[in-house]
Each structure stands twice: as structure tokens, then as C-alpha cells.
Amino acid sequence: MNGHAITNYRAAGPASSVRASPHGASAAHALPTGAERVLMEAMERALRAPRGKMALALHLSRLRPPAPRPHHIRIARALMEDTAQRYGGQVFPLRNGDLVLICAAPGDEARGQMGQAAPTALPASLARMFGASAPEDGKLTTVWRLDGEAEQFRAFATRRRDDPPYEASRDDGCGSIACLLPLEMSVSTAAVPDLLAQQDAIHLQPGRHLPLTARLAPLYRELTLVRGALTGHPEAAEALADPYLFRHFAAGLDVRMLNHLQQDLEHGGQLTRGALRQKLRLHLNLTLQGIVSPEFARFVQTARSSGGKFGIEISMMAAAADPDMMDYARRLLDMAGFLLVVDELDHVGLTMTRPAALQPALVKLGWSPRLADAPHDVKMAIEGAITRIGPERLVLHHADSEAALLWGQAHGIMRFQGFFLDAVQAAARIAGCHSARACTLRQCITRAASLSATVRVGCGNPGLLDMAPDYRAAATSGAAPPALLPASNQNAPHALRTT
Amino acid sequence: MLSARPDSAEALLDLLRKTELSGTQRRALLLHTDRLPPALAKQHHQRLARDAIAGLALADRAQHFELSRGRVAIVWRQRGGCELETALAALDHLLSDLPQDQAFPPGQLVTLYDLPEQAAWLMDEIANRGGLASHDAPEAVLPLDLAVLVRLEQALAQAEISRFIRWRPVLRLDGGAGAPVWLERYVAAHEIAANLCPDRRIKGNPWLFRRLTRSFDRRMLSILTGPQDLRDSGPFALNLNLATILAPEFLRFDAALPTSLRGAVTLNLLAADILADPSTFTFARDFVRLRGYKLLLRQASAALLSLLDVGAAELDYVHVAYTPDLVANPDSLRGLLPEGTTPVLTGVLPSAVAWARQHGYELVRGP
């Protein structure tokens, strides 16, 4: 039942919204509509004189979520229409977000003149552009020569009637921001715990023959702004897709969070009590402005007398936005005895930056399946970057699957944070909790992540939510690993033990 | 306290130009009261900092200038005298009151300039960082906030901003005075702000300011897409946000770009924009390269280039500011600029051209 809950959670993501279902129940009765009908008619016209013509399909619907975003479709269409104009062709946007170009196929001579925009060169150009979110099977485009592959193209066009429609994801923060005014008011007045979430990271201990739960040691607890608290309204979600606006809100919370945590430390409050008792380092996400603020200086004074351990997470973007202030902030952290953690590095940023130049204690790399299935040259660049940073300094963040743990260990990374570990922790908590009979794994995960009293109200043992669990108890009960694996991994529940 | 009536920032610029032309040896001190650490940011601290340098008024032919954000510049003829040492010692004393965990290096509070050689740096500081708002204008004390930003975005959606667009040439040092390679086009943000929201420091909130520049981008692109603007234009560069490159306005601009300018337009980006979402950056980069644009990293310094691998980011140019730090350590960029990435030295006046040549800079831009 617990596993079922996780499966639903994963399936609710944007991946399902854009994927075609060729064997869907309604497929046999679907009729071509709009764009698909226009494509079919144009195809039949082109096939009446197929010599020297070609078709190219750009499968944007196969991109990894959150792609395809509106700008992906907009720009790809502009590029293909430019080629269509030069080669007497036409572009057909399909309802699932894919684009099809039918045009004249250039000879070798013309191809040289057109360069990368030639229809035959487009697949390589598009593959490079979309490399960061390339489809899992690598098939971003399909090309048909109409004088030899007419039937294959006809079969493709005919099947398009079965495609589910493309559900537009958020645009790029182009809309009005007036909707954010009430949100700003609520961020400045809401109870601080309602705006925060917490998540524990773990350090995977050596011991390949031991069960996973016997190898987990708590590493730190991160307090972070709940994006969901800001993006509840669709318009707000679109506006906050702008990274600058999101950081404005985060910066606004810095001062309130620091003041609140200072009081919490002084009075042994719920936000810091669990970490202090277990001597677990507490990580805060702060902007540079927050670190140089008087509130931070006051927080440092209280933190020192509390005997707790602290780390401050700063994004590479913030560091690059103001390297001088970053340098000053780093010295303040040194003097405070707080660890510097570089945050928000993704698989592309990893190979484009040198986070070690900031001399951080830890660097958080966001997990993406792209890390594992990138082309050979990108893989080499990723491995080079890991070596330069040092795998002992890397934390694989957003580790939401067994694949993430396997990839991390294969690259010497033993520190992890993410949903998969949240589930492991929740299972261990349930195994050791006397009030957990009616609790689902999902409920326990949600309650432990939240600092809001209203979310935690159903828990009969709330003190346990803030304690890193005794994993050994869970390991001996045998409750954790099989129930924790996402549906796709249910067939290999012991893979981690043999890594 | 400095007692003589201070001159305006315009007068300081005038003096700097005259110093450049005449070659008169002077020194200048710029007191950045706006950089005082939080614990010393109260009004009386600012007054103490000003009092600390008051003795410089006794130096030979000292002139006192009030700049925006409470900053003060003093320029004097370079002769003997211990006024400078006394002033710096007084500032050290002021900063020594800080708690240990807020230690603040005195070097961040004052900048010293040797004129005329370093006049360009001071002019850049005044012209590009809001220094032209003199003591006569009311000081904007409130930072930009969301409500004002909403009103600004609405106003800018229709506003005619042609008169706020500025050009400055990037020159190739080829033996003579330098030949223009392209013109850099940008929006004078402070001048727009002085018109639309004079009581706000628009860079007071860095995140909201970055958002505001997207409105500038859109207006500039819509002006450029007009029938006249691109027809007679030579090569040029634009300061743009990454999000603007992905917006419909850029596609309209790209469609209007004459064939003669294809390959002759450079897009200038900030590092924060690249690192906010590197995957989106690589998509945008490969798109604009396909359309023949070049990419430039703005505001690069040794500190930034040690963080961002411009080779891996595949950038064509970087702006490197001509600063006292660079002059003191001209090799600080060595190893950080790969083959294929060309530096453009910015903030360069004629007096600094020889230095630029001597250190191998082929492309330079003024303040």
C-alpha cells in the first residue's frame, strides 16, 4: 500500500501529461482533428510528387519534463519555418506539441550553402539545442525521404490522431506580476513555520553486504522555503518562474526566518530542537544580502551559545551575481564557524562552473537521469568535474530513485538527499513508532517534511518527526527496502545491497 | 565636518576631463559611505566617516564633491602633506569599533585614484553607478519594491524610451587611435528611473532590478524592430536577459534583422542569468549561434571567471573592467580565458590605451 502511494506520487508529475499513449483505450475511435487533418492532407499532396522531398518530425513531446516549455516550441517552430520558407515547405504543429516539416530535400551543393539550417542538417542542430533535456531513447527527430519512405511517413502521420494533447507548462515569467502583490503580503505576515520545509540528508556508510537501512547515517537537516507556499495560484506560479522574482521572495523571508530561528534556538523550539538534540547540523538557505544583514550577526551570536552546528547554502547563481559580496559573505561564514554549501548545481551547471573556487565544505548536485545517459563527451566532462570538486564533497540532491543512489555510488558519491531517502526515513520511523498503525508512508513523509502544525496534526508522535530515525530498528524489522522502491524498481529490491 | 559648499557630480566629471586633457597630476579619494557594514550604517556613522576624511580639505587645492547615495569624492593636487594618512588612520579607527564577526576591510570603504591615469575609473564609477544624481537632486532612499515594479512595468509597456538609449563604441587597437568594431547599445536605467520613480534606488533590490531590465529589453527590441533602425545599422551589441532571448519579441527582432547584419550582432549576458538555469542557457546559446549571433559575458572579473568556465559555456567575448585590481595584478586572468574567448577591456579612456596595448588587449570600450 505504501508503495502504491509512492507510485501515484510519481505518476502525478508532468511526465505523464505530455507522453503519447499509442495503445490508449480511445485510440481506435479517435478521428483526426485540426492540425493532424491538415498534416494528412499536406502529406497526400506531397506524396503525389514525392521525388526530392522530405519530411522531418521533431518529437518535442518526448523531451524530459519540464520540457517542452513554451519557448522550446516557439523557437523550434521559428527555426523550422525559416527552413520551410527557403525550401518551399510547410511546418505542421501537432496537438501533442510535436512539429513536422515537409519540404524539398536539398542537394549536396545547396546543403553546403544553407549550413546548419538546411533541412538535412536540422536534426543535428536541434539535437544539440535540446541536448540538456534529450529524450530517454535519444530519438528527438525522424526524417523520411518521401520518394522511398512514403509508407513509413504515412504510418507516422496516421498514428498522430491517437496522441494526447500537449498540456502547456508554465511559460517563462512573461506575464503580469501584479498577482504577486497579495503573495508578498502573505509571505511577510504568515507564520514562519508554515513557509518552511525540512529535509534530512544522509551519508551512506561502506558495507556492500549490509541492507541499505543499516548503512545510513544522518548528515544534516536542511530548512528551506516551501515553493508550494508561493506557487499555489497558477498566475503566481508563472510569475515565479522568473528566477529573480523567486529570489526576491526568498530574500524577503531571510530576515523573518533568521529572527524566528534565533528565538527558536533561545527557547528550545520545535524548528531547531530535534537537530540540536541529535547534534545534527542545520542548513539554512540564505541570500548574500541575508548573510551580511544584522539579523544574521545576531543569529550567529545565539547559534554559538546554543552549541549547535550550522551550514549555509548559497546558490551558484547568487555567488556569480556578486562575487565581491560572495567573498565577504564567505569570510563572515568562516568567522561564524558555519559551513559554506554550494547549492543548486544541475548536470549542465556542473560542467560549466568551478564551485571548488569558493572552497565550500559541500556541493549539492541535483540528480537527473541525464547524468547517467548523457553522450560520451558529456559523461567525460561530468566525471572530470566530479574529480575536480572531489566526490567526498558532493551531495547528490533530489535523489528520488534507486537509480540516483546507484549512479552516485558508482562515482564515489556517498552523500544523498531526496525523496527516496525521505521514504527510507519514514519507513524507519513507522517501524519504531508506537502510534503508527494507521499511518501511511506518504503521510509520514509529508508530516516530517513540514514544520506547520496544521500539517502535522494527524501524527500521534510528532516529536519523532524531527528525530533522525534509528535505521537499525527498521533494518531488523525488514520493513523498509521492498516497500520503498518506486514501481519501476520493484523487480530489483536488493540491487543496492550488491553495489 | 567638511565646511565648504560641495560641488556637484557634473563638476567632478568636468574636472576629470580637464585633468585628462591637461595631464595635471592630482589624487582623488572616493568615500563609499553606501558600503558601510550594517553595524555602522546609521546616519551618525556616515557622519563620522565623513568627518574622518574632513582633514583632506586642507590639502593643496582640495575640492569636495557630493555624489549620490551619500558618497563623497575629494580631489587635490598631489604634493607632500600628511592629510591622506591622517584621514585613512581615522577611518581605520572607525572600523575598529566593529565586532570581530563583522570585520570590514578599510579598502572597501575608500578608493584612491591617481589622476589623470585613473580618471576613467572614477568617471565610470560616477557615470555608471548613479553618481550623476548630485546633492541638488533629492536622494532616493527607498529601494525598489514590488508595488513600484508593477507600476514601472505597466508604464514601460507603452513608454517611449528612445531618448534613454545610449551607444558606446567597442574599439580595436590596431596601432592608431582605435577603430570601432561594434557599438554597444544599452538603456540608461538610472535616467529612466529618475523620470518614472525618482524616490527609489532601482538597484537597491538587485533581484527586482534584474526583473525590471526585462522590460527595458522588450522596449529596446521593439524599437529596433521598427523599419528604420536596422536598415542603416552597422555591427552592434545588446545587453539582454536570457529570458528575453527566449521571448517572442526576440523572434520578431531576429526576423527583422537584415542579412547584412547576420553574424554582426553580439548579445551581452550576465553570469547570474547563465547560472540561474544552465540548461535553458545552453538551449538559448545554441539557438542564437544557429542564427549567427555572438555571445558576451558582462562584468567578468578574476573572481567571476574563477567560478564560471567561459570555455565550457562557449562564450565568444567577456567584458573585463579596467580597475586598480587589474592594474595591480594584470596576470590575474591568466588561465581563465581560453582560446576562442576574447576579452573586451571596459572603462578605458585614452590615458589607459597604452596599458591596454602593453597587456595584449585588442578590444577596448570606454566608461
Side-chain angles (χ1 to χ4, degrees):
Chain A
M1 182 158 182
N2 292 341
H4 179 66
I6 295 174
T7 306
N8 286 343
Y9 171 84
R10 291 171 59 77
S16 60
S17 63
V18 294
R19 291 226 175 340
S21 58
H23 306 296
S26 61
H29 307 292
L31 295 171
T33 59
E36 285 72 24
R37 192 175 62 243
V38 175
L39 172 65
M40 294 286 282
E41 290 166 2
M43 178 191 69
E44 294 302 340
R45 277 198 305 276
L47 289 177
R48 279 179 217 137
R51 190 173 173 76
K53 288 181 184 162
M54 61 174 282
L56 185 154
L58 174 61
H59 307 293
L60 291 173
S61 60
R62 292 184 188 167
L63 292 174
R64 289 168 209 260
R69 287 161 64 183
H71 66 253
H72 289 136
I73 297 176
R74 187 163 55 227
I75 287 172
R77 185 171 176 178
L79 290 173
M80 291 172 77
E81 283 184 342
D82 187 57
T83 302
Q85 201 173 14
R86 293 161 191 257
Y87 284 83
Q90 197 174 352
V91 177
F92 304 91
L94 306 184
R95 62 177 170 172
N96 70 344
D98 288 0
L99 298 168
V100 176
L101 165 69
I102 300 177
C103 66
D108 290 342
E109 187 183 342
R111 199 180 304 163
Q113 290 166 358
M114 270 292 286
Q116 293 169 303
T120 43
L122 262 183
S125 303
L126 292 166
R128 182 174 157 81
M129 276 173 61
F130 287 99
S133 46
E136 285 173 34
D137 61 4
K139 287 199 68 176
L140 179 68
T141 54
T142 309
V143 176
W144 300 272
R145 291 270 171 182
L146 297 193
D147 49 5
E149 298 167 306
E151 284 316 305
Q152 291 93 321
F153 180 45
R154 184 175 272 123
F156 166 81
T158 306
R159 282 201 305 273
R160 299 288 62 81
R161 69 182 67 170
D162 303 333
D163 290 334
Y166 166 67
E167 290 173 21
S169 61
R170 62 185 166 83
D171 206 345
D172 315 296
C174 295
S176 166
I177 56 171
C179 63
L180 296 180
L181 288 171
L183 185 66
E184 186 167 60
M185 177 62 77
S186 86
V187 168
S188 62
T189 54
V192 170
D194 291 347
L195 297 171
L196 294 178
Q198 65 179 9
Q199 189 175 47
D200 287 0
I202 62 95
H203 185 183
L204 194 61
Q205 302 297 306
R208 51 191 298 170
H209 301 299
L210 296 172
L212 171 64
T213 44
R215 297 175 59 197
L216 306 180
L219 182 61
Y220 60 79
R221 173 166 299 159
E222 180 188 358
L223 296 185
T224 184
L225 172 62
V226 188
R227 207 175 245 273
L230 299 180
T231 57
H233 193 280
E235 280 184 55
E238 184 187 310
L240 287 172
D242 180 323
Y244 298 122
L245 286 177
F246 181 77
R247 274 165 180 79
H248 163 70
F249 278 92
L253 187 64
D254 278 356
V255 168
R256 295 195 66 217
M257 179 175 73
L258 287 167
N259 284 336
H260 191 96
L261 288 176
Q262 186 199 354
Q263 303 236 327
D264 199 84
L265 278 174
E266 282 175 352
H267 301 105
Q270 174 225 334
L271 271 60
T272 55
R273 188 171 52 217
L276 285 181
R277 276 187 192 162
Q278 294 185 290
K279 301 195 183 307
L280 196 58
R281 197 170 57 242
L282 204 56
H283 283 197
L284 310 179
N285 288 272
L286 289 179
T287 61
L288 297 184
Q289 290 83 357
I291 295 171
V292 302
S293 69
E295 286 79 9
F296 183 74
R298 281 197 290 272
F299 176 76
V300 169
Q301 299 284 353
T302 308
R304 277 178 172 162
S305 56
S306 74
K309 296 183 289 182
F310 297 87
I312 302 298
E313 301 194 358
I314 299 173
S315 70
M316 274 303 281
M317 175 208 182
D322 194 340
D324 291 339
M325 191 188 266
M326 178 67 220
D327 186 51
Y328 181 46
R330 193 166 56 80
R331 281 184 281 131
L332 288 180
L333 295 182
D334 280 349
M335 285 189 281
F338 287 12
L339 295 189
L340 168 64
V341 181
V342 172
D343 195 10
E344 294 181 24
L345 208 57
D346 72 0
H347 63 288
V348 180
L350 176 68
T351 58
M352 205 187 282
T353 57
R354 303 184 185 98
L358 294 171
Q359 300 168 334
L362 295 171
V363 176
K364 291 173 72 171
L365 168 65
W367 161 252
S368 160
R370 195 71 183 137
L371 282 165
D373 60 21
H376 178 71
D377 57 332
V378 179
K379 271 187 185 165
M380 296 301 288
I382 288 169
E383 285 169 13
I386 290 173
T387 305
R388 281 192 296 278
I389 296 169
E392 70 286 350
R393 271 204 291 199
L394 278 164
V395 178
L396 196 60
H397 192 23
H398 307 303
D400 58 0
S401 67
E402 184 187 18
L405 267 68
L406 291 172
W407 182 88
Q409 290 178 84
H411 291 80
I413 298 171
M414 302 297 275
R415 291 161 180 81
F416 299 91
Q417 183 180 352
F419 180 78
F420 188 79
L421 284 313
D422 296 346
V424 173
Q425 296 207 41
R429 260 193 313 272
I430 287 172
C433 177
H434 55 76
S435 312
R437 277 189 207 119
C439 295
T440 64
L441 189 68
R442 179 66 189 275
Q443 283 173 329
C444 196
I445 293 169
T446 306
R447 288 166 184 160
S450 174
L451 292 163
S452 167
T454 50
V455 177
R456 292 182 157 201
V457 74
C459 178
N461 197 357
L464 208 56
L465 295 175
D466 297 319
M467 303 298 283
D470 180 352
Y471 297 104
R472 285 167 300 180
T476 51
S477 76
L484 293 170
L485 291 165
S488 58
N489 294 326
Q490 291 271 0
N491 294 331
H494 302 296
L496 282 166
R497 303 182 189 190
T498 57
T499 304
Chain B
M1 287 279 290
L2 290 164
S3 52
R5 174 170 166 71
D7 290 310
S8 73
E10 288 289 0
L12 174 55
L13 281 176
D14 192 44
L15 175 65
L16 292 173
R17 287 187 203 106
K18 285 177 182 162
T19 307
E20 271 260 311
L21 285 173
S22 66
T24 311
Q25 296 287 311
R26 288 187 165 94
R27 294 203 87 184
L29 176 146
L30 180 60
L31 175 67
H32 306 272
T33 47
D34 54 332
R35 291 186 193 166
L36 278 166
L40 293 180
K42 299 282 187 300
Q43 209 164 11
H44 71 276
H45 290 123
Q46 299 204 3
R47 198 169 57 242
L48 287 170
R50 287 159 164 262
D51 285 352
I53 61 164
L56 273 174
L58 301 172
D60 187 15
R61 290 178 229 189
Q63 284 179 263
H64 167 207
F65 303 89
E66 287 284 333
L67 306 177
S68 65
R69 307 202 299 274
R71 296 176 304 164
V72 177
I74 299 178
V75 182
W76 69 98
R77 290 287 283 270
Q78 191 167 12
R79 299 276 164 83
C82 59
E83 293 88 358
L84 178 62
E85 288 72 18
T86 309
L88 294 179
L91 281 174
D92 275 349
H93 182 70
L94 173 66
L95 293 171
S96 67
D97 289 344
L98 278 171
Q100 195 187 3
D101 63 349
Q102 293 178 42
F104 189 81
Q108 290 198 14
L109 198 56
V110 291
T111 312
L112 288 168
Y113 301 88
D114 288 319
L115 308 179
E117 293 81 7
Q118 298 173 336
W121 301 339
L122 186 50
M123 289 172 88
D124 186 44
E125 181 75 33
I126 299 163
N128 291 335
R129 304 190 189 189
L132 284 172
S134 72
H135 67 287
D136 295 319
E139 185 79 9
V141 289
L142 296 170
L144 187 60
D145 64 30
L146 194 60
V148 173
L149 178 64
V150 169
R151 289 204 301 275
L152 276 174
E153 286 202 346
Q154 287 165 351
L156 283 167
Q158 302 298 327
E160 168 54 54
I161 65 160
S162 302
R163 66 195 170 101
F164 297 111
I165 291 180
R166 304 280 180 270
W167 296 87
R168 49 189 168 190
V170 170
L171 306 174
R172 183 177 296 284
L173 298 179
D174 51 1
V181 187
W182 69 75
L183 293 172
E184 193 173 288
R185 186 169 185 146
Y186 66 101
V187 175
H190 280 99
E191 293 178 41
I192 292 185
N195 273 265
L196 294 178
C197 56
D199 59 335
R200 300 287 170 156
R201 284 185 291 118
I202 57 165
K203 290 189 179 175
N205 183 322
W207 304 120
L208 293 185
F209 175 70
R210 291 294 337 137
R211 166 73 191 198
L212 177 62
T213 59
R214 288 176 58 170
S215 293
F216 297 157
D217 290 354
R218 282 201 293 273
R219 298 302 297 146
M220 174 130 72
L221 286 178
S222 75
I223 290 168
L224 279 173
T225 311
Q228 291 300 325
D229 265 83
L230 290 173
R231 195 175 300 161
D232 304 321
S233 177
F236 63 92
L238 297 172
N239 292 346
L240 289 184
N241 285 276
L242 195 70
T244 307
I245 293 175
L246 302 172
E249 288 86 353
F250 186 81
L251 286 175
R252 281 196 283 277
F253 163 77
D254 181 64
L257 197 68
T259 312
S260 59
L261 283 176
R262 193 67 67 188
V265 179
T266 304
L267 307 176
N268 301 349
L269 298 173
L270 286 169
D273 232 7
I274 292 171
L275 293 176
D277 185 349
S279 299
T280 301
F281 163 71
T282 55
F283 174 80
R285 176 197 65 195
D286 294 336
F287 158 56
V288 296
R289 279 175 171 271
L290 206 57
R291 305 299 292 162
Y293 299 91
K294 301 277 196 301
L295 286 175
L296 179 147
L297 174 67
R298 295 167 62 192
Q299 298 177 8
S301 60
L304 175 59
L305 294 175
S306 68
L307 289 181
L308 177 65
D309 184 341
V310 290
E314 299 179 27
L315 299 166
D316 302 287
Y317 302 102
V318 295
H319 274 167
V320 174
Y322 179 61
T323 61
D325 284 347
L326 185 66
V327 171
N329 189 6
D331 293 333
S332 58
L333 301 177
R334 189 175 298 236
L336 298 174
L337 288 176
E339 289 279 326
T341 302
T342 307
V344 179
L345 193 65
T346 61
V348 175
L349 278 185
S351 55
V353 164
W355 186 94
R357 272 207 186 94
Q358 183 191 342
H359 291 88
Y361 289 93
E362 293 176 359
L363 299 177
V364 297
R365 198 204 70 195

